[in-house]
Amino acid sequence: MTTPTRSTRSRSRPYGAMFTAVVVSALGVTTAVNAAEPPQNRLECIAPADPGGGWDFTCRQFASVLQQSGLTDASMQTINMAGAAGGVAYAHVASKRRGNDGLIVAASSSNATRLAQDQYPGLTVDNMTWLGTLGADYAVLAVNSDSSIQDLSDMTDRLKEDIKSVSFSGGSGPLGWDQLNLLRVLFTAEVPSLKEVTYLDFNNGASAITQVLGQHLDVVVGDVSEVKSFVDSGDLRVLAVLADERLPAPMAEMPTAVEQGIDVVAPNWRGFYAPAELSEDDKAYWIEALDRVYASAAWQEIMTRNGLTPFHLTGMEFDQFLREQIASLENVMLSLR
């Protein structure tokens, strides 16, 4: 990904420069050379949503490439645990799975959003072991291919005339990552009465997309990896990707919000956390697994095919980045009040 030249001048983008710097440094991460001991417990990956969304995608694709990497001969089971925008899985792992060396949980910027809002009752970032990332997935707004909404300005003009004229769906929880990105777009476009916007939240991105495919709602807010197959099939049309510049082929035809005059960028990292109380050896195993998977030709092909961009941090570097992202999201939400 080319380093953006824009600054953080817009209050809709308080952590764009921070993210860019981290991406550049992450490209130099190398694969661990010493193989750590494999987990004693069976390998499991919790996807904190129903099948079909971004967390489910992260678990299943990682599990597939993990075996190919040679780090384990065992298969990894994906367990779907939907609820509370990741909160059900977060509470389950915190209370019942401490020290389980075979368990990882798919995570993303959606978790950072909920943590910034204190939406996981009684729990904080410190209740988990944060392992690392395997790329970033930019936010996107898309409509049914038959929709009369032509572009972002058409959408925002309609909302300025009648705030109820366009309806939205998303799959990251009330005031979660999807809805927050929508509000940032509308806020930057100076759409009034944001509290009156019709937005329905679903358990995952796939369900949110179904509402737009069925023409029950007008616009889905999600991530590129969630909508790309429907764009390829001609069922969805992208209004805007929330990236600094157009993504590389085969996503180059998707227009950005920036080029349409709405300066909002939203990279959604994809990665994993594990239970607290892991040993240093257990953490080393999972960090090496992430490094090897990320460096593999198979994962790089998955990233290209699904619109993921380079972003790889592990261990303490990832933990520090996450804490900074949570702090910056707190500032974003303050600006929307």
Side-chain angles (χ1 to χ4, degrees):
M1 182 179 71
T2 304
T3 304
T5 57
R6 299 176 185 87
S7 69
T8 54
R9 63 188 180 276
S10 168
R11 57 179 164 169
S12 68
R13 299 176 55 193
Y15 64 94
M18 175 187 69
F19 180 85
T20 299
V22 171
V23 169
V24 173
S25 66
L27 294 178
V29 174
T30 57
T31 304
V33 294
N34 296 319
E37 289 295 319
Q40 298 300 305
N41 289 287
R42 66 176 182 174
L43 299 184
E44 301 173 285
C45 184
I46 292 178
D50 292 330
W55 282 330
D56 184 70
F57 164 87
T58 303
C59 272
R60 294 183 190 277
Q61 296 295 332
F62 178 77
S64 174
V65 180
L66 182 64
Q67 271 193 297
Q68 298 176 35
S69 71
L71 235 67
T72 178
D73 294 327
S75 61
M76 172 179 280
Q77 180 184 6
T78 295
I79 300 170
N80 293 94
M81 191 177 292
V88 170
Y90 206 86
H92 169 78
V93 175
S95 64
K96 298 181 179 180
R97 307 298 289 273
R98 286 193 300 272
N100 187 313
D101 63 352
L103 176 68
I104 60 173
V105 185
S108 66
S109 292
S110 181
N111 297 98
T113 303
R114 308 316 283 175
L115 288 166
Q117 297 170 328
D118 293 324
Q119 290 298 307
Y120 296 158
L123 300 172
T124 71
V125 67
D126 296 316
N127 289 101
M128 301 298 166
T129 300
W130 296 93
L131 297 173
T133 64
L134 287 171
D137 195 2
Y138 280 96
V140 65
L141 282 74
V143 294
N144 188 295
S145 58
D146 295 327
S147 173
S148 62
I149 301 173
Q150 296 303 308
D151 52 29
L152 276 191
S153 62
D154 186 11
M155 183 190 80
T156 56
D157 285 347
R158 295 185 190 202
L159 288 167
K160 288 175 183 178
E161 247 182 63
D162 177 6
I163 198 64
K164 295 296 186 182
S165 64
V166 182
S167 57
F168 300 87
S169 66
S172 64
L175 274 182
W177 180 249
D178 294 339
Q179 188 177 13
L180 181 60
N181 287 325
L182 170 64
L183 292 175
R184 291 171 65 203
V185 168
L186 301 185
F187 176 80
T188 304
E190 299 182 348
V191 173
S193 307
L194 294 185
K195 292 183 179 179
E196 298 177 26
V197 171
T198 300
Y199 177 89
L200 277 68
D201 178 71
F202 298 87
N203 271 338
N204 57 75
S207 297
I209 289 168
T210 298
Q211 297 299 311
V212 174
L213 292 175
Q215 300 185 341
H216 307 297
L217 298 171
D218 299 313
V219 182
V220 60
V221 189
D223 296 313
V224 170
S225 68
E226 294 174 323
V227 307
K228 186 178 179 298
S229 64
F230 297 98
V231 174
D232 292 343
S233 66
D235 295 305
L236 290 181
R237 173 167 47 85
V238 171
L239 295 179
V241 177
L242 304 188
D244 272 281
E245 57 186 27
R246 292 205 178 196
L247 301 178
M251 286 75 63
E253 296 303 313
M254 300 178 183
T256 67
V258 172
E259 70 188 60
Q260 297 177 70
I262 297 180
D263 195 7
V264 177
V265 174
N268 184 8
W269 54 263
R270 296 286 179 188
F272 296 99
Y273 64 81
E277 301 179 15
L278 290 189
S279 70
E280 290 302 314
D281 285 345
D282 293 335
K283 286 190 286 186
Y285 171 84
W286 285 115
I287 288 172
E288 182 175 350
L290 287 169
D291 284 342
R292 287 199 182 185
V293 166
Y294 185 80
S296 70
W299 189 261
Q300 293 301 311
E301 193 275 331
I302 287 170
M303 287 177 59
T304 299
R305 188 173 69 242
N306 292 281
L308 293 176
T309 56
F311 187 61
H312 182 56
L313 287 180
T314 55
M316 289 303 298
E317 286 184 301
F318 175 48
D319 188 272
Q320 180 182 352
F321 166 78
L322 176 65
R323 292 172 190 274
E324 291 174 359
Q325 186 184 37
I326 291 170
S328 67
L329 283 166
E330 290 172 341
N331 291 333
V332 171
M333 287 179 285
L334 284 173
S335 74
L336 292 171
R337 288 181 179 176

